[in-house]
Amino acid sequence: ALLSALLSSSLAKKIVKPLNELDFAKPDTREIYPEIYPLLSKISRQNTLIELQMEDLKKRQEEFLTITQNMSEGLILIDSKAEVLSYNKSARRLLSVKNSEISESVLSFNSSDEFKAAVSSVLSGEKSRPMIEVEGKTCQIFANPVYVEESVSGAVLLILDVTEKEQRDAMRREFTSNVSHELKTPLTSIYGISEIMANGLVKPEDTELLAVSIIGMKIFSLSYLTGWVDMCFSSYFTALERPVRSMLAAFFGTLVF
């Protein structure tokens, strides 16, 4: 019985030795038992398919990195726990963060209340568009949630430098306010004089004098405004100077008393 057990063990080891030494990553189908040839052939085909898929994934990843790393906009990908999955160099530049300062949490990029609120909102499923100030720059964050089977699995944060846009908007608001003020001031005086004349509070012999005064005020106001517009637009809005001057001239030309 002992001899039989020894012989059985030795024979079993001899039989399974080729299988134990088989490299399933590259199965050699020439030195195996014919009975398992179909299985190893299938494994070999599957390995080839996996290699092709891995090469395709690697190529796509390289393309993704090439595109994102050369974007002027900042890009940060986070998971549902607000941990950073990926980011590009523009995100570090726009948020003025060094590599050594970045940890797993996305809040290592920026700890402002606006940024924290944006992260919290987007991970709860709400889009967010906050503005944040970073070392003299104005950045806008476009935070969008990523859903997997109707649950938030992460988020995409796109960061844009809108400093110039905000400055232009401020200049437009200031310009509009100044134009409105400069228009109202002479028009108020003209309207007041014309109302006095309409109510018969002016002697007939003084009517012509007041009419001349109104015309003079119109000419002065138009000259002042066009000169002021010239000064403003010569620096910032040269392309729009002529249309605005024409508009003001047309506007004042319609004021007939």
Side-chain angles (χ1 to χ4, degrees):
L2 179 60
L3 180 60
S4 177
L6 291 174
L7 289 174
S8 298
S9 176
S10 176
L11 182 60
K13 289 180 180 179
K14 186 176 181 180
I15 292 173
V16 299
K17 182 179 180 181
L19 297 176
N20 290 333
E21 294 177 350
L22 187 64
D23 183 4
F24 284 95
K26 296 180 180 179
D28 187 358
T29 59
R30 294 171 300 175
E31 300 179 0
I32 60 171
Y33 303 111
E35 293 81 3
I36 63 171
Y37 175 80
L39 175 62
L40 295 182
S41 296
K42 186 174 182 178
I43 292 175
S44 180
R45 291 193 299 270
Q46 191 68 28
N47 287 342
T48 301
L49 179 61
I50 291 173
E51 288 178 1
L52 291 175
Q53 291 175 339
M54 291 296 292
E55 288 178 2
D56 184 57
L57 288 173
K58 184 178 180 181
K59 182 179 179 181
R60 290 174 180 268
Q61 184 181 28
E62 290 174 351
E63 290 175 349
F64 175 78
L65 289 175
T66 299
I67 293 172
T68 57
Q69 290 300 326
N70 289 282
M71 290 171 55
S72 59
E73 300 84 5
L75 180 68
I76 304 176
L77 307 180
I78 62 175
D79 62 15
S80 58
K81 298 180 181 179
E83 293 182 353
V84 178
L85 299 176
S86 179
Y87 63 90
N88 64 358
K89 60 184 179 182
S90 292
R92 291 190 292 104
R93 174 178 57 82
L94 292 173
L95 297 178
S96 300
V97 182
K98 298 178 181 178
N99 271 330
S100 58
E101 298 174 341
I102 299 174
S103 63
E104 293 183 353
S105 173
V106 70
L107 298 181
S108 61
F109 279 87
N110 190 276
S111 59
S112 66
D113 292 338
E114 294 83 0
F115 192 80
K116 290 179 180 177
V119 172
S120 177
S121 295
V122 75
L123 291 181
S124 64
E126 298 179 6
K127 295 181 180 180
S128 183
R129 304 286 187 273
M131 294 280 194
I132 61 174
E133 297 292 330
V134 182
E135 296 186 357
K137 299 190 298 289
T138 302
C139 295
Q140 186 169 16
I141 311 295
F142 291 83
N144 292 284
V146 175
Y147 289 91
V148 175
E149 296 181 354
E150 299 184 355
S151 62
V152 178
S153 63
V156 177
L157 307 181
L158 187 67
I159 306 156
L160 276 67
D161 185 350
V162 294
T163 305
E164 292 185 5
K165 177 180 178 296
E166 288 298 301
Q167 290 175 346
R168 289 195 298 269
D169 288 344
M171 289 165 57
R172 280 195 292 269
R173 288 192 295 269
E174 182 182 1
F175 175 76
T176 303
S177 175
N178 288 338
V179 167
S180 176
H181 173 73
E182 296 300 334
L183 282 172
K184 287 179 180 178
T185 301
L187 289 178
T188 300
S189 300
I190 294 172
Y191 177 77
I193 295 175
S194 62
E195 190 174 38
I196 292 174
M197 294 174 61
N199 291 332
L201 300 177
V202 180
K203 296 179 180 179
E205 59 269 22
D206 294 333
T207 301
E208 184 178 350
L209 179 61
L210 282 176
V212 172
S213 299
I214 292 175
I215 294 172
M217 290 177 67
K218 287 176 60 179
I219 295 173
F220 173 78
S221 298
L222 180 59
S223 299
Y224 175 79
L225 280 173
T226 53
W228 182 76
V229 170
D230 281 337
M231 179 183 65
C232 292
F233 282 99
S234 63
S235 301
Y236 304 107
F237 303 103
T238 303
L240 300 177
E241 176 181 357
R242 191 166 297 174
V244 172
R245 290 184 62 186
S246 299
M247 178 189 70
L248 292 175
F251 177 78
F252 276 102
T254 61
L255 298 178
V256 180
F257 299 94

